[in-house]
Amino acid sequence: MIAPLFAAVLGASDAVAVGADFTDGRVCSRVGWCWELPRPQGTPLSAFWGSGPRDVWAAGDSGTLIHFDGTTWSGRVDLVEVSLHALWGSGPRDVWAAGGAGTLLRFDGETWRRVPSGSDEDLRAVTGSSRQDVWAVGGRAALHFDGARWSSVPLPPNARLWSVWREGSDVFAQGGGLFRFDGRAFVEVQALDPGDPVPVAGPARTKFALRGGRLLKRAGEQWVGAGVATLERIERGWFPSSSLAWLVTMERGSLRYDGRDWKRYPLPEFATVIWERTPNDAWAATLFGVPMHFDGKRWTAPDQPCARFDGRMLAVADGEVWLGSHEQLCHRGAQGWEQVPTRFDTTPSAIAGTRSDDIWIATSTNLYHWNGEFLGDARQTPGRMPADNFWGLTRLWLDTRRSGWAVGERGLVLFWDSQRWTRVPSGTSAALRAAWSDGAGATWVVGAGGTALRWAGSSFESIRTPPMGKGGRHQVRHDLWIEIGPGAPGDLVAISGAAPDDIWAAGGPESAQQIICGTRAGPEPTPVDWGAALIHWDGKAWSAVPTGEVVYLHDVWARARDDVWAVGADVLMHFDGRAWSKQTLSRSPLERSGAVLLGGTKTELFILGDRTLRVLPLVPR
Amino acid sequence: MRDHGEVPACFLPPPGIDGWTTNELILMEVTALVGSQPIDVRYAVQYLPPPEGEPGSRRLLVTVLSGPRDAGTAWSNLPCRPDAPGWSCTTLDGSPATLGSKLECRQHAGAPETTAPPAAAVPRDPRLGTWVSENPAQPWHSLFALWGAAKNDAWAVGGAGTLLRYDGARWQPYPGPVQADLLAISGSGFRDVWAVGQHGAAMHWDGAAWRAAPVAQGANLDQLFAPAPEDAWAGSSSTGELFRWQAGAWKAIDPGLRVWRLFGTSERDVWVFDPSGALARFDGNRWTHSQPPLGVPVVALARVSPRHVVAAGSGGTIARFDGELWWHERNGTGGSIEQLWAPRRDVVWAFNSRQTWLRWFNGRWATSPIPEGAAGVRAAWGLAADDGWVIDSRGAMFQYDGKQWSQRSAGSPPSPVVELVTATAIIGGAPWVVGSGVMRLTPAGWASQPVPPGLQVEELAGVPQTLVQSIAGSSENDVWAVTHARHTWGERADATVWHFDGTEWRADASAPKTARVLWQRGRDDVWAAGDLEAVWHRTNSRWIQVDPGAKRDFPSDLRAYAITSDGAGGVWVAGDGPFKRCTTRGCTSYPSPIEGSEIIPFLAISTVSATQAYAVVGDPHLENAPLHGQEREDVEPSFAEWDGVRWKALDLGPVPMMLGAVAAGRGELWALGAGNKILHLKEGKLERMVLDDVETLSLITRTPDGVIRLVGDGGRVMRRAP
């Protein structure tokens, strides 16, 4: 049933990308979705390398490889199927990237090509002295490139390499000990006793070590405090030469060592990697992969038009996408992203709207209306809200300016009639999670325990839904399986219809206790095909739609009968009228829950994560 | 040009006021019979020094503010005419003098000074007499409203037809055709500006000239909405009338309710709120009525866009209209909002009557520091969030540059402000006024004085209101004052007694903590009275309790309100309990002359001699809330008189709630009541007056030279000659 969606994600041929992909100012996946927020992208980065201020590469998780042309970053989030860990080049037309499963990529000035490494170890570091002398190491692999081919270099049995560098004519590698290349093999020059501070990698290894958040320096046989003037915990350090070092502290500080003194430079965000090309041109990346630049005086990060938006707040209204958080609302319209000057007393839980001047925002106990100018407080305005003190609003649906639904905990349903929100009895005490209406009479509310309520003109009637999933054990990874209780009622969290007789609801097994995780030591898994994260209404009854290994879907959007989208934590699914297909979404560390909400305009599909937003161009219908 | 003859005595400055050298502006009201009808005519008279090169001559600017309503009233019909020998008058614009005319009258050098008594036909109106604003002293300050079509083309209007034009750099006087107080101004563009005011005054700027276009009915117009050329609306919150200018004439309009606030977003969207807050909207064809959208009376409105109107209601309510629905919001501060200014959707200013201005920015209301010397705001205008103007209740102008407000008064130095006044005293022969500040009269005019630390005008964020509550002194270098905090619910904290040596205030830690009022006979001879009507005397640098006061569970049940000389070396103390006369040896109580006086406290005393004094009784809890139009005609006797043996009631018939009184001599008493009503008792006859064109006045004082002064919030001082 599940077909591979979006064919050819992974390049089987040598050429995995062409140069033109790195100039369009966007960071996109092969299948077409692009990073919208954060800017320029949100996948963690591991390495930078550049030949000049207008030629900088960065590589990171899930095959991310991006390029800076002096103005903007462009590139791919999934150039290859594995994470990339290291970059080095001898010049703009000779750049190497190394990554998982022995992956080595080479850029010739126009195209990145796969180069066979002969290893399946995760390659963690790459360095060199010329086109004919490149080293790559990782784990048990130490590889050398002579200008024509890569060959393996013997290692002592205790080596588990994660760094390689040159010092004069010597080549050193570190990991499990310190090793020097003797012309034939790496030999151990310094054993590492357990409990010793780990000397830093790089030429400064004889001077510095990091331990317990402190930088130590060598004083004879002893390690003593290095005298770095900070009380903050030092998290990371880079020591590319004996006279240059960068440290990053827990409190967003950076310290630069110029061979004599340490100087402190505040960072806009905590940095996971720092790379310096010249003293006034250095790059770092945030935890979430946003590049930051150092100009010799200060670090700057790209402006984020919508900082700290919330994973529950996505609305698409009249072609504009809206995000929100406790602190702000922001939306992207014709003029780009714009912040709306407003704040909420409590954390908002949902946003919905029909136009940019008709946006509703729910908190647990209140509803606010943005009319393009100001935020109206329904609770504060006499007669605009039900008199009882409800709480637990979680989701909104607006058909038109004059009709909308809000649902929440304990069977809470409110209806907007253009003047006031009134309480509508739902007949259930189940937590209600989503509402959908076609604005012409068909209105559904879904929620926990497989609850599906249909509006029958004056009250809701409960419609039976099928169990979601057949139950059984399923192997997720080679060392992990999960078990679903048989016949569990679905926890419905989303609903969307293409027509009154073509409605989709998404969710998954009702509660966490019904998913039992185990390791390989557990019972043997039973065959797959137990998942049904979707149910479908055909006008007469709800039926479960098997989704294979996809256990849980957070949102569904029925754009048309033959164009339905659904999103789970790490997966984007599409229904073309005949079958569902899926694609993995690489998860950013920003996204605790992964992708959670969908919203669509006529030309774009927005995928909201906890603090990320991806956008996928759609074929206009 | 017309020769109107000479100025009669009724235009001469009152005795004791050398108006000729100080540019005094005096408001006077005269009653006379025109035909068989008694007519009240109000004039504004400004005395001008001699023109250059004519040292022997004097000039007057005379404006007839109101008079007979007959259209075309000729100057010659008015009861007081400038027809004294040696004077000649011309209207400024050369037109025939009539109601609203501004005349310049000139006394020719060498002409004999007129000493003629008032003409029998035009006696001075005993109900008002002649009062002069001594602080602020300049007519400049009587600005009421401002509006502009551009940052460099704005107008401000004010009292007596005052008109100022702003060119982007400075405000300068501009001649206008109207002499009545102008209360509102608005327009639709550079060539379409309207201003309206008292007695039906209305005038229009067409880009070249102001032309008077009065509303025939003559109401006091303070509401104005001018959405388009040839379409203007004017209303009166006092009479509730509404008028519309169309096709070159004003027509009365009946919106179906009484006009209190007039507002609109376009020609086809005119709003009228009544005093209850109910709304009538006019869409160009018909009126639609709705219940009070704010639930309370609407005080101020500001338009950001057609779908964003901000409204402030009484009690500090703020609501916004989105084009369809009203949305209330919590402003989180309390207090009343008098004016709004909303230059941008995310920037709204709400001006409180007191010292908290609110700024809404980025979705939050926050208080904003107000500029030094600013009182409550009566008008606000601005075209950009970083370029705003306000006029405060004293008529001073302040400009906002996006970061801060600063005073930009036109021409004259700022007058001292005492936002809330509580007490006056005569120190070294000069009057002092205290409250939220301290000011005194100097030879150069009223001047601010240093204040004791810790004053707080309004209870805010849990910090109670703290004012100077009483003051006394022997000279400007020996002044005593009491401050104490008072929460809005009336609870009073311990008092602090301060001494001012001419340079700084120092707290006197040895002073009684319950002292509330002070009186000083001389250096090192200070008296205090306080809770429980206890009395202290300070001499030899020590406070000695003369009388411990009564025993009550709650000191607030028995308070002293006044202490003053008894004319015989001791003091009188008045308060909630019986009168007490105290010497350094102790106090003697005197029975109340007024039935039920145990619950009618004595508020003030004024002593003529050991055998004559007057006292005022009243309800102290209404002390801070006497409003125009809400005065109470007390049926209770409100005065008592000491004859040397006993206090007896002085029945003057129904009088307003009395706030204070001063004795001007044997048998003569001046008293100030609620609603700016003034009583003058002399030789057994009672005269009544009212000052209705100034702020609420709450204090009355008399200097040894016989000058009576009335003092109101903001530091307004009105002076009358003996």
Side-chain angles (χ1 to χ4, degrees):
Chain A
M1 187 97 184
I2 304 295
L5 172 67
F6 325 119
V9 170
L10 312 174
S13 66
D14 281 352
V16 292
V18 293
D21 286 332
F22 295 95
T23 59
D24 64 357
R26 306 198 80 182
V27 178
C28 301
S29 74
R30 281 200 159 218
V31 295
W33 67 259
C34 301
W35 280 107
E36 180 70 26
L37 299 173
R39 286 173 170 172
Q41 63 103 40
T43 311
L45 297 175
S46 304
F48 288 90
W49 185 87
S51 68
R54 286 179 292 282
D55 175 34
V56 182
W57 292 93
D61 285 5
S62 66
T64 295
L65 192 57
I66 58 177
H67 183 258
F68 183 69
D69 63 6
T71 307
T72 57
W73 288 91
S74 313
R76 281 287 169 79
V77 297
D78 49 6
L79 190 77
V80 290
E81 71 280 18
V82 295
S83 293
L84 296 172
H85 303 305
L87 286 167
W88 179 84
S90 67
R93 297 180 164 275
D94 178 38
V95 187
W96 289 90
T103 300
L104 282 169
L105 306 175
R106 190 182 196 187
F107 183 68
D108 61 9
E110 289 185 2
T111 307
W112 283 93
R113 293 174 194 279
R114 234 179 243 280
V115 177
S117 69
S119 167
D120 61 359
E121 291 280 343
D122 286 354
L123 298 177
R124 296 281 170 183
V126 58
T127 189
S129 64
S130 73
R131 297 176 75 93
Q132 289 81 35
D133 177 30
V134 186
W135 292 87
V137 304
R140 295 286 305 143
L143 309 174
H144 182 256
F145 183 72
D146 62 5
R149 67 186 61 78
W150 287 91
S151 53
S152 184
V153 175
L155 282 175
N158 59 331
R160 298 288 185 274
L161 299 181
W162 47 268
S163 182
V164 64
W165 69 91
R166 296 189 67 93
E167 255 180 279
S169 59
D170 287 336
V171 178
F172 289 89
Q174 188 163 324
L178 177 65
F179 310 93
R180 186 172 68 83
F181 182 64
D182 67 358
R184 187 195 63 81
F186 278 102
V187 295
E188 184 159 359
V189 293
Q190 186 181 336
L192 189 62
D193 290 336
D196 274 357
V198 179
V200 300
R205 73 190 187 282
T206 55
K207 286 186 183 172
F208 295 112
L210 277 169
R211 182 169 67 182
R214 293 184 70 209
L215 184 71
L216 307 178
K217 71 176 179 183
R218 175 81 77 180
E221 291 302 306
Q222 305 290 318
W223 290 101
V224 298
V228 178
T230 178
L231 294 174
E232 301 168 15
R233 182 181 172 87
I234 295 166
E235 284 295 304
R236 312 208 176 180
W238 295 266
F239 299 80
S241 77
S242 59
S243 60
L244 171 64
W246 278 97
L247 303 177
V248 172
T249 70
M250 200 64 184
E251 287 77 19
R252 295 189 305 176
S254 74
L255 292 148
R256 184 177 186 275
Y257 178 70
D258 63 4
R260 290 194 311 164
D261 299 320
W262 292 92
K263 279 191 186 155
R264 184 186 166 85
Y265 303 96
L267 280 160
E269 298 285 343
F270 179 77
T272 58
V273 57
I274 292 183
W275 171 79
E276 179 177 311
R277 190 181 65 84
T278 66
N280 57 6
D281 184 20
W283 288 90
T286 71
L287 276 172
F288 315 116
V290 174
M292 300 181 283
H293 185 253
F294 179 72
D295 64 3
K297 290 177 181 156
R298 62 186 63 82
W299 287 99
T300 51
D303 285 339
Q304 300 296 338
C306 197
R308 301 187 189 286
F309 50 93
D310 190 285
R312 292 170 298 183
M313 301 278 287
L314 172 71
V316 174
D318 197 24
E320 292 196 351
V321 59
W322 287 76
L323 304 175
S325 73
H326 186 189
E327 298 169 355
Q328 62 171 356
L329 291 178
C330 50
H331 65 119
R332 199 196 71 178
Q335 309 300 315
W337 283 99
E338 187 189 354
Q339 285 192 28
V340 169
T342 195
R343 301 182 199 177
F344 302 92
D345 292 338
T346 56
T347 305
S349 54
I351 182 170
T354 63
R355 287 184 1 185
S356 59
D357 62 354
D358 181 32
I359 303 291
W360 283 94
I361 301 98
T363 64
S364 173
T365 58
N366 198 359
L367 286 146
Y368 297 85
H369 184 257
W370 172 258
N371 79 329
E373 293 274 321
F374 64 88
L375 199 67
D377 182 331
R379 180 67 79 184
Q380 198 67 27
T381 305
R384 194 133 298 157
M385 288 286 266
D388 62 331
N389 288 320
F390 64 82
W391 59 270
L393 282 180
T394 52
R395 200 85 180 265
L396 287 169
W397 173 266
L398 270 295
D399 305 326
T400 66
R401 204 178 184 86
R402 304 190 175 278
S403 165
W405 299 86
V407 300
E409 303 293 336
R410 296 185 299 180
L412 179 63
V413 179
L414 304 180
F415 178 67
W416 170 250
D417 64 2
S418 83
Q419 294 287 321
R420 60 187 58 79
W421 288 94
T422 46
R423 188 86 183 254
V424 179
S426 66
T428 178
S429 60
L432 300 178
R433 297 297 182 213
W436 173 84
S437 169
D438 67 353
T443 298
W444 286 85
V445 172
V446 295
T451 302
L453 306 175
R454 182 170 63 176
W455 182 246
S458 59
S459 62
F460 281 104
E461 58 179 336
S462 180
I463 306 293
R464 192 175 159 275
T465 58
M468 298 183 79
K470 294 176 181 173
R473 298 189 188 89
H474 168 55
Q475 189 152 4
V476 178
R477 285 200 318 249
H478 68 279
D479 59 348
L480 183 71
W481 55 267
I482 62 173
E483 180 179 296
I484 310 278
D491 186 5
L492 298 171
V493 296
I495 182 168
S496 178
D501 63 349
D502 185 15
I503 300 170
W504 298 85
E510 184 180 16
S511 52
Q513 70 265 23
Q514 292 192 20
I515 303 179
I516 304 158
C517 296
T519 63
R520 188 186 295 190
E524 281 302 304
T526 52
V528 292
D529 195 23
W530 47 268
L534 283 167
I535 59 173
H536 181 255
W537 172 260
D538 61 5
K540 298 189 181 92
W542 288 98
S543 56
V545 180
T547 48
E549 65 201 41
V550 176
V551 180
Y552 206 108
L553 288 170
H554 290 298
D555 203 3
V556 61
W557 177 48
R559 192 177 179 221
R561 285 182 187 274
D562 60 350
D563 194 6
V564 185
W565 297 84
V567 71
D570 307 298
V571 66
L572 177 66
M573 298 185 61
H574 181 252
F575 181 70
D576 62 6
R578 291 176 289 112
W580 283 91
S581 54
K582 70 180 174 73
Q583 187 214 341
T584 301
L585 291 172
S586 62
R587 194 190 294 202
S588 162
L590 285 166
E591 304 170 284
R592 287 183 304 271
S593 326
V596 285
L597 286 178
L598 289 177
T601 69
K602 287 176 181 168
T603 56
E604 289 175 309
L605 176 72
F606 292 94
I607 305 159
L608 181 74
D610 262 340
R611 280 151 63 185
T612 64
L613 186 68
R614 299 169 172 90
V615 59
L616 176 70
L618 296 176
V619 178
R621 299 183 66 95
Chain B
M1 302 277 280
R2 254 174 67 178
D3 188 348
H4 290 277
E6 290 143 342
V7 173
C10 63
F11 281 138
L12 292 179
I17 299 178
D18 187 9
W20 304 103
T21 58
T22 52
N23 292 322
E24 297 281 10
L25 179 79
I26 293 180
L27 300 174
M28 56 174 62
E29 190 164 301
V30 177
T31 303
L33 292 178
V34 173
S36 60
Q37 292 290 315
I39 299 294
D40 292 339
V41 183
R42 296 173 65 246
Y43 303 89
V45 182
Q46 187 169 14
Y47 299 91
L48 302 177
E52 233 173 282
E54 297 181 44
S57 68
R58 293 162 168 176
R59 285 185 299 151
L60 286 172
L61 280 177
V62 180
T63 308
V64 184
L65 299 177
S66 66
R69 292 198 173 174
D70 306 342
T73 296
W75 179 257
S76 56
N77 285 342
L78 297 181
C80 185
R81 289 153 47 199
D83 56 358
W87 288 80
S88 65
C89 300
T90 54
T91 54
L92 286 180
D93 57 4
S95 61
T98 181
L99 185 62
S101 290
K102 189 174 270 186
L103 293 110
E104 179 172 2
C105 299
R106 184 169 294 204
Q107 183 188 38
H108 302 295
E113 191 168 332
T114 176
T115 53
V122 283
R124 178 172 294 164
D125 184 357
R127 292 177 302 166
L128 189 62
T130 301
W131 292 89
V132 177
S133 176
E134 193 173 61
N135 185 52
Q138 298 86 2
W140 278 111
H141 283 85
S142 54
L143 296 174
F144 293 120
L146 77 171
W147 183 88
K151 281 186 186 181
N152 60 353
D153 186 12
W155 298 91
V157 294
T162 298
L163 183 61
L164 303 177
R165 190 174 196 184
Y166 184 64
D167 61 4
R170 62 183 63 81
W171 292 92
Q172 289 180 314
Y174 199 91
V178 167
Q179 279 70 39
D181 289 355
L182 292 171
L183 303 174
I185 183 168
S186 183
S188 70
F190 296 103
R191 294 178 192 80
D192 177 41
V193 185
W194 281 92
V196 297
Q198 289 193 320
H199 314 299
M203 63 184 197
H204 181 255
W205 170 257
D206 61 7
W210 286 95
R211 289 197 174 80
V215 175
Q217 281 84 342
N220 285 344
L221 301 172
D222 58 354
Q223 302 294 309
L224 179 62
F225 176 54
E230 285 306 310
D231 190 8
W233 299 71
S236 169
S237 64
S238 53
T239 66
E241 294 169 278
L242 180 66
F243 304 95
R244 186 180 191 185
W245 175 269
Q246 267 188 314
W250 288 103
K251 295 187 183 77
I253 301 283
D254 180 10
L257 46 67
R258 183 187 165 87
V259 175
W260 170 250
R261 290 291 182 270
L262 172 63
F263 181 76
T265 63
S266 75
E267 294 170 77
R268 296 183 169 276
D269 187 24
V270 181
W271 302 15
V272 175
F273 289 92
D274 80 359
S276 77
L279 172 62
R281 286 179 76 185
F282 183 69
D283 64 4
N285 293 312
R286 64 174 62 84
W287 291 92
T288 312
H289 291 83
S290 58
Q291 293 297 306
L294 273 67
V296 292
V298 171
V299 177
L301 296 125
R303 174 186 185 272
V304 182
S305 75
R307 58 183 190 207
H308 189 175
V309 173
V310 190
S314 62
T317 303
I318 291 181
R320 298 181 203 235
F321 182 68
D322 69 6
E324 282 187 42
L325 300 174
W326 285 91
W327 299 89
H328 289 231
E329 62 191 55
R330 198 193 325 254
N331 69 39
T333 61
S336 65
I337 291 163
E338 305 284 318
Q339 287 290 336
L340 292 166
W341 173 48
R344 216 168 69 191
R345 80 174 186 197
D346 62 334
V347 177
V348 179
W349 286 86
F351 300 103
N352 199 304
S353 56
R354 299 295 180 216
Q355 288 192 334
T356 48
W357 292 3
L358 300 175
R359 180 166 167 262
W360 189 81
F361 182 67
N362 253 350
R364 287 275 165 90
W365 287 100
T367 55
S368 178
I370 76 163
E372 197 177 335
V377 169
R378 68 160 59 135
W381 168 81
L383 289 172
D386 61 354
D387 186 19
W389 291 87
V390 299
I391 296 173
D392 78 359
S393 62
R394 302 272 314 282
M397 298 179 95
F398 297 85
Q399 187 179 19
Y400 185 66
D401 64 3
K403 292 187 179 128
Q404 61 182 11
W405 293 92
S406 42
Q407 186 159 2
R408 292 285 307 274
S409 281
S412 47
S415 302
V417 173
V418 177
E419 187 77 36
L420 292 174
V421 297
T422 57
T424 66
I426 307 302
I427 299 174
W432 289 55
V433 171
V434 297
S436 59
V438 179
M439 67 181 197
R440 72 179 171 103
L441 186 62
T442 70
W446 283 91
S448 290
Q449 298 294 297
V451 297
L455 298 189
Q456 169 95 8
V457 172
E458 190 168 27
E459 183 169 348
L460 190 67
V463 180
Q465 182 190 59
T466 304
L467 304 175
V468 181
Q469 299 288 350
S470 181
I471 191 164
S474 65
S475 76
E476 63 190 65
N477 300 322
D478 177 31
V479 180
W480 291 86
V482 173
T483 64
H484 65 245
R486 183 168 66 175
H487 290 276
T488 46
W489 60 87
E491 189 62 30
R492 301 193 293 187
D494 280 352
T496 306
V497 176
W498 302 85
H499 183 256
F500 182 64
D501 61 6
T503 308
E504 68 178 313
W505 291 94
R506 285 200 182 87
D508 181 353
S510 68
K513 299 288 182 234
T514 56
R516 305 296 176 187
V517 287
L518 297 171
W519 183 76
Q520 185 166 9
R521 177 171 280 112
R523 189 169 278 276
D524 206 27
D525 187 0
V526 186
W527 293 79
D531 295 347
L532 305 174
E533 291 192 345
V535 179
W536 298 268
H537 180 235
R538 186 180 195 275
T539 187
N540 296 321
S541 302
R542 286 178 58 221
W543 290 94
I544 298 159
Q545 192 169 60
V546 171
D547 185 325
K551 284 191 165 56
R552 296 284 171 90
D553 288 342
F554 300 102
S556 60
D557 289 347
L558 192 59
R559 296 174 179 177
Y561 296 113
I563 182 169
T564 191
S565 167
D566 68 351
V571 291
W572 283 108
V573 174
D576 291 313
F579 273 109
K580 290 207 299 200
R581 188 175 186 175
C582 305
T583 67
T584 53
R585 293 184 301 277
C587 297
T588 309
S589 289
Y590 287 83
S592 166
I594 295 168
E595 204 152 330
S597 68
E598 284 80 6
I599 56 165
I600 302 180
F602 293 80
L603 294 178
I605 321 168
S606 183
T607 303
V608 180
S609 68
T611 57
Q612 189 173 28
Y614 294 94
V616 171
V617 301
D619 183 349
H621 303 298
L622 296 177
E623 182 183 7
N624 288 329
L627 296 172
H628 281 298
Q630 293 181 10
E631 72 268 25
R632 190 182 63 187
E633 294 291 335
D634 246 332
V635 294
E636 302 289 341
S638 295
F639 295 94
E641 186 177 23
W642 169 253
D643 63 4
V645 179
R646 58 198 168 92
W647 286 92
K648 57 186 180 189
L650 187 62
D651 190 355
L652 300 181
V655 294
M657 188 186 78
M658 282 292 119
L659 303 173
V662 290
R666 182 161 288 273
E668 184 175 4
L669 183 70
W670 285 89
L672 172 66
N676 288 359
K677 294 192 172 170
I678 302 154
L679 303 181
H680 181 207
L681 178 68
K682 188 175 184 183
E683 294 164 359
K685 289 183 184 172
L686 184 67
E687 299 170 324
R688 295 160 184 265
M689 313 161 208
V690 62
L691 279 175
D692 61 3
D693 285 321
V694 295
E695 303 87 337
T696 300
L697 302 168
S698 54
L699 302 170
I700 184 167
T701 183
R702 179 179 179 274
T703 38
D705 59 5
V707 175
I708 308 289
R709 289 180 174 84
L710 308 173
V711 181
D713 284 349
R716 169 74 76 177
V717 180
M718 299 297 290
R719 183 183 68 182
R720 190 188 186 280

